[in-house]
C-alpha cells in the first residue's frame, strides 16, 4: 500500500512576521500568500472572542488596518502588528498619519514606526509653546481628540555644570539623581544647591528634576552633609538670634551655621560655604560681623578661614588683614557697599549681604 503525502504547493508556503505593540517581530509560517486579518490574529495566538486589531506594516511605511475577512497582499509587506484593543487613536509621524491601537506610545516605538535614525531627536509638536523632546524611554499619552504629531530633528544639547564638571543632556529636563550619578557623586551624601543668576540659591532634593531651559541657570554646587573628624558632634552655638528670614534662609539652603560671641563681637559663622571653581578649595568657613543694633546698623565686609586663594596663585587685593575669631585668624575681605545702593534696614539683612559675598568671590575669578 502506498501512502501519499500532500503538501501545500511551493507558491503557497511562506513566512510572515508578527509583533505586538512592542514591535518585536517573530517569524510565523503561513500556508497562503493572502492571509486574512483573522487568520493572522489566530496565528499570533488570539481567540475569536478577543477584540484584535490587525495592521499590515507595509514596506512603504504605511500602517494599514486589516479586517477579519480582508486579505493581505504580501507583495506590499510581510510585517503585521496585532493588538488587543477597543479602538485606535490618530497620530502623525514625520507628516504621515496613522492609527495606533493604544492610548500611549513610547519614543522607541515612534522611532521604529517612523524609521527615524538614532542620531535624530524626536519631538512632540506643541502649539504656542516649544516642541517637547521625547526620549526613547519616554511614554506619551495620546489625546482622545485631535492628532498627536511627532517629528524628528537635530537633537538639542543641554549643558549643566555640576561642581565644576560639565555634563550634556539631549532632553531639557534632567533628574538630580542622574546629574550627580553621571558626575560621580553619591546623590544621598550631599546638600545640593542650584544656582540661577538673579535668584536666591535653591536647595534641591534627590527626587527633584532640573529644567535646563531655566533662564540664567548656572550650576549645581555640592556641600557634604556630614564630615566626621572622629570627634563627637556638638549642637551649633546660638549665642544670639538672627532675624527670622535670615535663619529660614540659612536652614533652607542646608548650611551649617552658628552664632558666636567672641572678644565682645557677634559673629555669624557658616561652615562649608561653597566657593567658585577657580579657588584652590571648594569651600571655606565664612564669618560675618553682626552689629548689636543690626539690622539698623549694617553688616560690612566678610571673613574666611582658612584664607581663600586663587588657583592661579594671583593675589587678591584688600584681603591682607586678618581677624581673630574663636582663636583662629580669619582672612578679612574688605568689600563694602557703594553710595548708589547703601544699606537699607527695611530690606537688607544677612540674605542680601550673602549675595554681596558671592558676588565678590565670583568677581575675583571672573566667573
Amino acid at each position: 500500500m502506498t501512502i501519499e503525502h500532500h503538501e501545500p504547493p511551493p507558491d503557497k508556503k511562506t513566512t510572515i512576521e508578527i509583533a505586538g505593540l512592542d514591535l518585536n517581530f517573530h517569524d510565523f509560517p503561513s500556508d497562503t500568500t493572502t492571509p486574512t486579518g483573522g487568520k493572522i490574529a489566530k496565528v499570533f495566538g488570539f481567540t475569536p472572542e478577543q477584540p484584535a486589531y490587525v495592521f499590515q506594516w507595509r514596506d512603504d511605511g504605511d500602517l494599514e488596518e486589516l479586517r477579519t475577512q480582508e486579505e493581505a497582499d504580501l507583495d506590499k509587506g510581510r510585517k503585521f502588528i496585532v493588538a488587543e484593543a477597543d479602538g485606535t487613536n490618530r497620530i502623525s509621524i514625520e507628516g504621515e498619519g496613522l492609527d495606533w491601537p493604544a492610548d500611549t506610545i513610547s519614543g522607541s516605538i515612534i522611532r521604529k514606526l517612523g524609521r527615524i535614525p538614532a542620531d535624530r531627536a524626536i519631538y512632540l509638536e506643541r502649539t504656542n509653546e516649544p516642541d517637547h523632546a521625547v526620549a526613547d524611554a519616554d511614554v506619551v499619552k495620546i489625546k482622545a481628540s485631535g492628532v498627536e504629531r511627532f517629528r524628528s530633528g537635530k537633537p538639542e544639547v543641554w549643558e549643566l555644570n555640576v561642581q565644576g564638571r560639565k555634563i550634556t543632556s539631549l532632553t531639557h529636563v534632567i533628574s538630580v539623581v542622574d546629574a550627580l550619578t553621571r558626575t560621580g557623586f553619591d546623590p544621598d551624601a550631599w546638600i545640593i544647591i542650584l544656582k540661577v543668576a538673579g535668584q536666591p540659591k535653591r536647595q534641591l532634593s534627590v527626587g527633584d528634576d532640573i529644567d535646563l531651559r531655566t533662564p540664567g541657570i548656572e550650576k549645581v554646587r555640592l556641600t557634604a552633609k556630614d564630615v566626621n573628624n572622629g570627634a563627637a558632634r556638638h549642637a551649633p552655638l546660638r549665642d544670639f538670634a538672627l532675624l527670622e528670614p535670615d535663619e529660614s534662609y540659612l536652614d533652607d539652603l542646608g548650611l551649617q551655621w552658628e552664632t558666636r560671641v567672641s572678644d565682645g563681637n557677634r559673629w555669624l559663622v557658616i561652615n562649608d560655604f561653597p566657593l567658585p571653581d577657580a579657588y584652590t578649595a571648594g569651600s571655606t568657613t565664612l564669618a560675618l560681623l553682626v552689629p548689636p543694633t543690626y539690622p539698623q546698623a549694617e553688616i560690612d565686609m566678610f571673613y574666611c578661614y582658612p584664607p581663600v586663594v586663587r588657583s592661579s596663585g594671583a593675589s587678591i587685593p584688600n584681603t591682607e588683614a586678618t581677624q581673630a575669631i574663636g582663636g583662629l585668624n580669619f582672612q578679612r575681605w574688605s568689600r563694602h557697599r557703594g553710595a548708589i545702593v547703601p544699606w537699607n534696614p527695611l530690606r537688607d539683612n544677612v540674605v542680601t549681604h550673602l549675595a554681596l559675598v558671592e558676588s565678590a568671590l565670583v568677581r575675583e575669578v571672573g566667573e
Side-chain angles (χ1 to χ4, degrees), residues 91-125:
I91 64 174
S92 171
I93 303 176
E94 301 285 52
E96 297 292 333
L98 55 89
D99 293 309
W100 184 245
D103 295 331
T104 60
I105 188 168
S106 70
S108 61
I109 298 303
I110 296 168
R111 187 176 298 281
K112 289 180 181 179
L113 289 173
R115 295 181 169 90
I116 299 173
D119 61 352
R120 301 276 289 177
I122 298 171
Y123 297 94
L124 173 60
E125 296 183 355

Side-chain angles (χ1 to χ4, degrees), residues 48-246:
E49 293 76 24
Q50 287 180 277
Y53 271 85
V54 180
F55 295 86
Q56 183 178 18
W57 193 12
R58 297 178 6 176
D59 293 339
D60 61 8
D62 282 349
L63 206 58
E64 187 175 275
E65 184 181 353
L66 284 176
R67 294 184 295 275
T68 302
Q69 300 300 324
E70 186 177 0
E71 295 181 344
D73 182 356
L74 297 189
D75 288 337
K76 295 181 179 179
R78 294 172 180 260
K79 289 186 174 181
F80 298 89
I81 300 170
V82 179
E84 184 174 357
D86 295 324
T88 63
N89 293 292
R90 193 69 174 170
I91 64 174
S92 171
I93 303 176
E94 301 285 52
E96 297 292 333
L98 55 89
D99 293 309
W100 184 245
D103 295 331
T104 60
I105 188 168
S106 70
S108 61
I109 298 303
I110 296 168
R111 187 176 298 281
K112 289 180 181 179
L113 289 173
R115 295 181 169 90
I116 299 173
D119 61 352
R120 301 276 289 177
I122 298 171
Y123 297 94
L124 173 60
E125 296 183 355
R126 294 299 195 196
T127 303
N128 299 325
E129 62 180 282
D131 292 348
H132 176 70
V134 180
D136 284 2
D138 290 344
V139 176
V140 178
K141 184 173 177 58
I142 303 171
K143 295 178 182 177
S145 60
V147 180
E148 297 286 16
R149 302 182 185 277
F150 301 93
R151 66 171 179 85
S152 69
K154 184 178 179 181
E156 289 188 86
V157 179
W158 304 85
E159 285 191 350
L160 179 65
N161 183 323
V162 180
Q163 198 67 13
R165 305 178 187 178
K166 287 187 177 181
I167 58 173
T168 59
S169 173
L170 296 181
T171 59
H172 66 269
V173 175
I174 186 170
S175 69
V176 168
V177 170
D178 186 25
L180 267 65
T181 301
R182 287 176 56 188
T183 47
F185 294 100
D186 179 355
D188 295 317
W190 301 90
I191 296 168
I192 307 158
I193 306 297
L194 178 65
K195 295 185 66 177
V196 178
Q199 298 182 21
K201 293 188 292 186
R202 179 165 65 92
Q203 184 173 351
L204 302 176
S205 66
V206 173
D208 286 339
D209 291 325
I210 302 171
D211 190 338
L212 300 178
R213 298 174 302 178
T214 304
I217 192 167
E218 291 184 356
K219 64 184 71 176
V220 171
R221 300 286 289 179
L222 305 176
T223 301
K225 285 184 177 178
D226 185 24
V227 179
N228 189 347
N229 63 2
R233 297 187 64 181
H234 300 282
L237 293 175
R238 294 289 189 266
D239 288 347
F240 62 92
L242 297 171
L243 299 177
E244 191 280 329
D246 297 337

Side-chain angles (χ1 to χ4, degrees), residues 298-341:
E298 70 174 295
I299 300 174
D300 189 31
M301 303 187 289
F302 61 95
Y303 304 79
C304 299
Y305 181 86
V308 173
V309 179
R310 288 172 173 156
S311 298
S312 65
S315 62
I316 303 173
N318 300 319
T319 60
E320 299 81 9
T322 61
Q323 172 70 48
I325 305 174
L328 300 175
N329 286 324
F330 278 65
Q331 174 194 40
R332 188 183 76 181
W333 282 60
S334 183
R335 301 295 186 271
H336 315 279
R337 291 172 177 267
I340 297 177
V341 187

